[in-house]
Amino acid sequence: MRVGFIGLGSQGAPMARRIVDEGFPTTLWARRPESLAPFADTAAETAATPAELGAASDVVCICVVADDDVRNVVTGEDGVLGGMAEGGVLVIHSTVHPDTCAEIAGKAAARGVAVIDAPVSGGGIGAAERRLLVMVGGDAEALERCRPIFETYANPIVHLGELGAGQVTKLLNNLLFTAGLAIGQAALDLGEQLGVDRARLGEVISSGSGNSFALSRVVSPTGLDLIGNHAGGVLRKDVGLIADIAETAAAAPGIVLTAADATLERMGKSR
């Protein structure tokens, strides 16, 4: 099975490396030559355009940042779909709006190409250690075709339903994480006001029923600032996406969105 991969950032590059190292014939494309440089000593081929990559691949994985980025590399001029043959599978690993996946799937179907959405969680380290969480929406048969590829960097791989279900699940996960940052920060701040050492309080809670991954990120007084500088923009994007989905569905997000917005405000990343 020939694999194409676009999106060689901090998340995508380790994923692509695992695919290459497992022996899948792999073609890469990147806007910046420096993104390809780490693969110079591997068997991976490079393509001049996304369309050329599509023509060389049975499965194409997309791991770029935002909705417009996905559209540009897939359906833009010299996009992936322009080269893919009938029977191919396009995998959207990016975290984007489900409507974007549906839009692309409609265009792909006209060419006989299947689309599944498969956002991931676990970071580059998770990919390198083969323990990424992959959340999949779309056709079960298409997923099974891609499973051997996913297994090079992921465990578990969870099929959640129709196209877009993976995106909704990933966005809910990120919403809860963002909300948890504000809640954890508030608990630690309150502890300090009541005379409890912040680091010791964090140590205790990490072994108690109130523990969470988000809390562990804000035990340091500068933890929230560091996250804001590193990932604040992405969290703002994802919270905005799930808020829009909820509004469109007339669903009440409740306090989790309120807490997430509080986190973004403290980061200086209000949506």
Side-chain angles (χ1 to χ4, degrees):
M1 191 154 45
R2 302 172 302 158
V3 183
F5 204 103
I6 296 177
L8 302 173
S10 60
Q11 178 68 78
M15 295 166 67
R17 186 77 189 212
R18 292 296 312 134
I19 296 169
V20 174
D21 287 350
E22 286 296 311
F24 285 94
T26 306
T27 304
L28 308 174
W29 178 84
R31 287 191 176 91
R32 297 178 295 113
E34 54 266 35
S35 297
L36 296 169
F39 295 86
D41 63 343
T42 73
E45 302 287 341
T46 59
T49 65
E52 183 179 303
L53 177 143
S57 307
D58 303 306
V59 173
V60 174
C61 299
I62 306 295
C63 197
V64 294
V65 175
D67 294 66
D68 284 344
D69 299 322
V70 175
R71 291 188 186 96
N72 287 339
V73 299
V74 174
T75 61
E77 185 178 358
D78 286 329
V80 169
L81 280 182
M84 289 190 78
E86 183 176 353
V89 181
L90 179 69
V91 179
I92 301 176
H93 280 310
S94 307
T95 301
V96 295
H97 199 293
D99 288 353
T100 300
C101 299
E103 171 192 329
I104 289 171
K107 295 177 180 179
R111 298 187 61 90
V113 173
V115 175
I116 60 176
D117 64 302
V120 301
S121 181
I125 293 175
E129 296 177 353
R130 293 178 132 180
R131 56 174 178 81
L132 274 187
L133 166 62
V134 179
M135 296 155 269
V136 183
D139 180 69
E141 183 178 344
L143 166 58
E144 291 310 309
R145 288 183 58 196
C146 297
R147 187 178 293 275
I149 299 167
F150 295 170
E151 287 176 342
T152 67
Y153 49 77
N155 184 28
I157 301 159
V158 184
H159 188 208
L160 293 148
E162 297 300 317
L163 184 72
Q167 299 294 347
V168 172
T169 301
K170 172 63 184 296
L171 292 169
L172 287 169
N173 177 77
N174 284 8
L175 174 67
L176 183 58
F177 170 69
T178 308
L181 291 171
I183 294 169
Q185 180 85 24
L188 293 166
D189 289 349
L190 179 59
E192 284 189 310
Q193 294 176 61
L194 298 176
V196 180
D197 179 80
R198 185 185 189 90
R200 291 293 181 86
L201 178 58
E203 179 183 352
V204 169
I205 295 176
S206 68
S207 298
S209 59
N211 188 34
S212 70
F213 178 75
L215 178 87
S216 72
R217 303 295 93 184
V218 294
V219 170
S220 165
T222 61
L224 196 59
D225 291 335
L226 291 173
I227 294 172
N229 291 334
H230 176 67
V234 171
L235 294 177
R236 176 172 57 193
K237 169 184 74 76
D238 291 352
V239 171
L241 287 173
I242 194 66
D244 178 68
I245 293 167
E247 182 178 0
T248 301
I255 61 172
V256 66
L257 181 57
T258 302
D261 279 336
T263 296
L264 296 176
E265 184 174 350
R266 291 194 64 164
M267 289 178 172
K269 302 288 185 180
S270 299
R271 63 186 179 89

